[in-house]
Amino acid sequence: MENRISTLGRAEASVLQTNKVIRNTYMLLSLTLAFSALTAGLSMAMGAPRLGILITLAGYFGLLFATTKFRDSSLGIVFVFALTGFMGFTLGPIISSYLALPNGGSIVMQAMAGTAAIFLGLSAYAVTTKKDFSFMGGFLMVGILVAFLAGLGAIFFEIPALSLTVSAAFVMLMSGLILYETSNIIHGGETNYIMATVSLFVSIFNLFTSLLHLLGFANND
């Protein structure tokens, strides 16, 4: 009887911990998305030019390393906002270049709507079905690495077809990452809401930029 009570107590504590991680993750994700939108708007208002690929990668991976290192302290939250704010700032010039096109506003809105629909739909599916998508972890890791390297190749060698292929691949990979990370939180695989927020934010960011690229091509821009 005592063992049963102890087991139930642990199960209840686990559920409470999971709910806390989910609540904190989506609260922090909402705040970082708003802050990223603010820094993107700021860079657009300033007419900031696109940062070079090396500066962008150095800033991203540097801030990601700092966030990971301090994920268990209050400094981790500071670095989350620094990371997402930096990513938003780099996004501003990209959005500006699309808005300068004849139908650029429509392309940006379609990309935003598509990103929101995919994220909300996949998140709701993972939460309601409670399916375990942990089996996707290895595939996603390899796929993202390959797509990232291919994307760098497309940039340095200026291969438009490869760039479009990478964007299409990233739409699928980021969709899978949203399912994987949401499932990971629900099943207790991810207990740090700071890292969960970073993972979901990066998924949303890459999903949006990839859809922007594909929609721009589909509209012959």
Side-chain angles (χ1 to χ4, degrees):
M1 183 66 177
E2 291 181 358
N3 289 337
R4 183 180 179 185
I5 293 175
S6 177
T7 301
L8 290 174
R10 287 195 298 270
E12 183 177 354
S14 177
V15 171
L16 290 174
Q17 174 63 21
T18 298
N19 290 338
K20 181 180 179 182
V21 173
I22 293 174
R23 182 175 63 255
N24 289 343
T25 296
Y26 283 95
M27 182 181 299
L28 184 57
L29 180 63
S30 299
L31 292 173
T32 53
L33 286 171
F35 184 64
S36 178
L38 179 64
T39 57
L42 179 62
S43 67
M44 292 169 66
M46 293 170 54
R50 292 196 188 193
L51 298 179
I53 184 67
L54 295 179
I55 296 176
T56 300
L57 291 178
Y60 170 73
F61 283 110
L63 290 170
L64 179 61
F65 173 79
T67 302
T68 304
K69 182 177 181 179
F70 295 102
R71 64 184 178 274
D72 295 317
S73 70
S74 57
L75 265 179
I77 296 179
V78 174
F79 281 116
V80 165
F81 279 97
L83 172 62
T84 55
F86 174 76
M87 293 176 71
F89 193 84
T90 64
L91 183 61
I94 298 174
I95 295 177
S96 293
S97 67
Y98 278 91
L99 291 177
L101 300 172
N103 59 339
S106 175
I107 294 173
V108 173
M109 292 304 297
Q110 288 176 43
M112 290 178 63
T115 301
I118 292 172
F119 175 74
L120 294 175
L122 292 176
S123 296
Y125 178 76
V127 170
T128 55
T129 64
K130 291 182 170 57
K131 287 186 177 181
D132 187 356
F133 291 97
S134 60
F135 66 90
M136 298 173 64
F139 167 77
L140 289 171
M141 183 180 298
V142 174
I144 292 171
L145 178 60
V146 171
F148 173 72
L149 293 176
L152 289 180
I155 292 173
F156 286 117
F157 296 106
E158 300 182 354
I159 308 174
L162 179 58
S163 182
L164 287 171
T165 302
V166 169
S167 293
F170 260 108
V171 169
M172 301 301 296
L173 289 167
M174 294 304 106
S175 297
L177 187 58
I178 291 169
L179 281 175
Y180 171 80
E181 189 60 37
T182 306
S183 170
N184 212 20
I185 297 171
I186 294 171
H187 293 93
E190 178 59 83
T191 58
N192 188 291
Y193 70 94
I194 289 179
M195 297 312 299
T197 298
V198 170
S199 180
L200 290 175
F201 182 92
V202 170
S203 300
I204 293 170
F205 182 92
N206 285 321
L207 184 59
F208 173 70
T209 54
S210 297
L211 286 175
L212 200 58
H213 188 196
L214 292 172
L215 289 169
F217 174 76
N219 283 271
N220 297 320
D221 293 321

